[in-house]
Amino acid sequence: MTEDAPKKLFIKTYGCQMNVYDSERMAEALGAKGYVTTEVAEEADMVLLNTCHIREKAAEKVYSDLGRLRPLKQAKPDLKIGVAGCVAQAEGEEILRRMPLVDLVVGPQSYHRLPEMVEAKGKVIDTDFPEEDKFDHLPERKALRGPTAFLTVQEGCDKFCAFCVVPYTRGAEVSRPVPRLLAEARDLVSRGVREITLLGQNVNGYHGEGEGGAWGLGRLIREMAGIEGLERLRYTTSHPNDMDDDLIAAHGEVPQLMPYLHLPVQSGSDRILKAMNRKHTAEEYLRLIERIRAARPDILLSSDFIVAFPGETDRDFEDTMDLIREVRFGAAFSFKYSARPGTPAAEKPELPAELADARLHALQALITEQQHAAQKAMVGRQVGVLYEKAGRLPGQMVGKSDHLHAVHVQDPTAKVGELVQVRIVEAGPNSLRGERLQP
Ligand code: SAH
Ligand code: SF4
Ligand code: F3S
């Protein structure tokens, strides 16, 4: 290898969309140090695992993946292995102890220090929560993947739900200032992006500095909707207690804001919601959904659920099923409770695994039923579809509808990035089929 041959970087991303965004930014930061990304771990000079600590399985996966890198490291002693993300933050030096092949551990708030860290000799670790905003110190975004992009507007969480590691791994809620976000959004649009998803662990708790003081998410969305060429806006993930009037109204008033909202409720039992420290009741959630639907009647709702939280009785679980029946979700993620070290809920006795399995199974069956019903209800309707890639069949395009359904359309002359009007003609189990309406 000559001195200036580019070094190859392999990144594996676990967990949430915020990690996807962070991985892109880390790739760019290392790009400035001469790294180009590769999809093949075997040819990499550096392997970076951007990890997730949310459930035990997610965290343990990282260790088994590190174990599998051992032969690679033996064959290529210069190979650098880095662990980033929420496991890095939560476990820090423990990772170096358990996995001596790791060279570098970097927490989510220190990614701007990564370029120096890779040049350091020996093992390095940085899990600080520095004052400065990492995104201000990372290079501009270059690589884009198609017409959609994520934009992190807020990070961290002050909610401290009793089961959750995020407040510990990502730190306190911090909102990025409005002008930086508008500049980043304009730059994305100038390079072909037509849909932006605003990201944050508590995105609707956004309160970034803008003209005249702190702006809420509704105001930020209204301002972004004014960017010429930006056709679609979404945001995720929200907490029910931060859905303010202005944001709800924006769903009825801003055409670019798409009719889909992920609003995790976790449980439909007031007793369990209280034990989870969610700070709202099932009834309050239902009333909130009513207000959102009044603003945007065709909005599709999705949620996260945890089953078998410590102390959850059959009655509590039935309350959750009742809430699901009442809301009628278009989609949902559901998980068995996983005890996380350091969280208050981890102190409490866990429920038997078989019970958790049975509840998860029942809940998922109900959600699947509702998901299919929502898909079927789209048949005959006209929706926008933003083409993201070519389909598997010749002449086929695949994109997302306004309601975030995957839609296949036979459209041989179309290009990726086109936003077209489509009539939905068929609902399959995982995607819809549409026919393009001629403009
Ligand atoms: N507000 C966050 C939620 C992050 S975690 C966001 O921005 O996405 C995503 C989901 O994981 C949560 O909504 C919850 O349903 C689930 N989850 C979190 N901690 C969990 C745990 N200890 N066990 C099982 N599921 C958990
Ligand atoms: Fe975790 Fe709750 Fe914060 Fe979501 S709101 S990140 S579930 S502590
Ligand atoms: Fe996982 Fe951290 Fe995201 S724990 S879900 S990667 S914020």
Side-chain angles (χ1 to χ4, degrees), residues 157 159-161 163-164 166-167 201-202 239 266 278:
C157 183
K159 298 277 191 296
F160 291 93
C161 298
F163 50 81
C164 185
V166 170
Q201 268 97 22
N202 253 298
H239 191 289
Q266 316 296 355
R278 294 288 294 181

Side-chain angles (χ1 to χ4, degrees), residues 16 18 54-56 157 163-166 200-203 236-239 262 264 266 278 304-306 333-340 343:
C16 63
M18 193 156 292
I54 202 78
R55 283 167 291 274
E56 191 182 354
C157 183
F163 50 81
C164 185
V165 294
V166 170
Q201 268 97 22
N202 253 298
V203 70
T236 199
T237 296
S238 296
H239 191 289
H262 184 60
Q266 316 296 355
R278 294 288 294 181
D304 292 341
F305 294 94
I306 295 177
F333 298 99
S334 47
F335 314 95
K336 280 185 280 186
Y337 168 73
S338 167
R340 307 308 292 126
T343 62

Side-chain angles (χ1 to χ4, degrees), residues 59-366:
E60 280 308 309
K61 179 98 183 42
V62 175
Y63 286 102
S64 60
D65 283 356
L66 283 170
R68 259 185 275 133
L69 288 171
R70 222 173 259 130
L72 218 62
K73 179 90 172 183
Q74 271 155 6
K76 206 177 188 179
D78 286 344
L79 174 69
K80 260 196 194 304
I81 298 183
V83 178
C86 291
V87 178
Q89 189 62 44
E91 297 186 3
E93 283 179 12
E94 177 63 20
I95 299 173
L96 297 178
R97 258 193 297 277
R98 247 178 100 174
M99 287 287 166
L101 82 172
V102 172
D103 301 288
L104 175 164
V105 174
V106 58
Q109 301 313 325
S110 301
Y111 294 154
H112 53 297
R113 296 178 178 167
L114 194 56
E116 301 159 38
M117 291 176 77
V118 293
E119 291 192 337
K121 299 256 180 297
K123 311 249 175 212
V124 273
I125 173 160
D126 192 337
T127 52
D128 288 351
F129 286 110
E131 278 291 308
E132 73 268 18
D133 176 352
K134 65 180 172 187
F135 296 122
D136 287 351
H137 298 271
L138 287 168
E140 286 282 303
R141 280 218 273 204
K142 285 186 287 300
L144 292 177
R145 282 180 305 162
T148 64
F150 293 131
L151 173 53
T152 295
V153 302
Q154 176 278 339
E155 237 192 308
C157 183
D158 301 337
K159 298 277 191 296
F160 291 93
C161 298
F163 50 81
C164 185
V165 294
V166 170
Y168 311 97
T169 62
R170 294 274 169 169
E173 279 182 33
V174 178
S175 295
R176 301 179 62 198
V178 172
R180 306 237 10 140
L181 296 173
L182 292 176
E184 195 166 334
R186 280 194 203 98
D187 177 60
L188 288 169
V189 173
S190 76
R191 289 180 301 128
V193 167
R194 308 191 74 184
E195 171 180 313
I196 293 180
T197 302
L198 307 177
L199 288 182
Q201 268 97 22
N202 253 298
V203 70
N204 60 342
Y206 177 81
H207 55 268
E209 273 311 303
E211 217 181 282
W215 287 29
L217 188 66
R219 186 160 178 201
L220 181 68
I221 285 172
R222 289 171 201 274
E223 188 70 22
M224 279 202 181
I227 297 175
E228 186 78 36
L230 180 56
E231 312 275 359
R232 286 173 151 190
L233 280 162
R234 305 181 189 275
Y235 61 93
T236 199
T237 296
S238 296
H239 191 289
N241 291 355
D242 288 331
M243 286 304 296
D244 64 24
D245 292 340
D246 184 47
L247 183 57
I248 294 174
H251 278 279
E253 293 163 6
V254 179
Q256 291 88 340
L257 185 55
M258 290 291 103
Y260 183 98
L261 178 62
H262 184 60
L263 194 60
V265 63
Q266 316 296 355
S267 168
S269 153
D270 288 345
R271 232 174 50 82
I272 296 298
L273 285 168
K274 192 161 194 311
M276 286 176 162
N277 194 30
R278 294 288 294 181
K279 298 200 171 91
H280 64 77
T281 63
E283 188 59 26
E284 281 161 352
Y285 183 81
L286 293 171
R287 298 293 81 83
L288 175 60
I289 297 296
E290 263 174 21
R291 285 165 58 216
I292 295 165
R293 280 187 168 144
R296 183 76 205 238
D298 73 332
I299 199 162
L300 211 73
L301 294 159
S302 79
S303 181
D304 292 341
F305 294 94
I306 295 177
V307 301
F309 184 80
E312 187 187 73
T313 62
D314 285 341
R315 179 69 244 199
D316 294 320
F317 178 67
E318 276 315 312
D319 287 347
T320 300
M321 296 291 272
D322 284 344
L323 178 138
I324 296 172
R325 285 183 200 105
E326 184 153 350
V327 174
R328 288 169 288 109
F329 289 98
F333 298 99
S334 47
F335 314 95
K336 280 185 280 186
Y337 168 73
S338 167
R340 307 308 292 126
T343 62
E347 313 279 308
K348 300 189 189 166
E350 288 182 53
L351 298 189
E354 312 79 65
L355 189 70
D357 283 328
R359 286 182 186 166
L360 185 67
H361 190 80
L363 188 147
Q364 287 182 338
L366 179 57

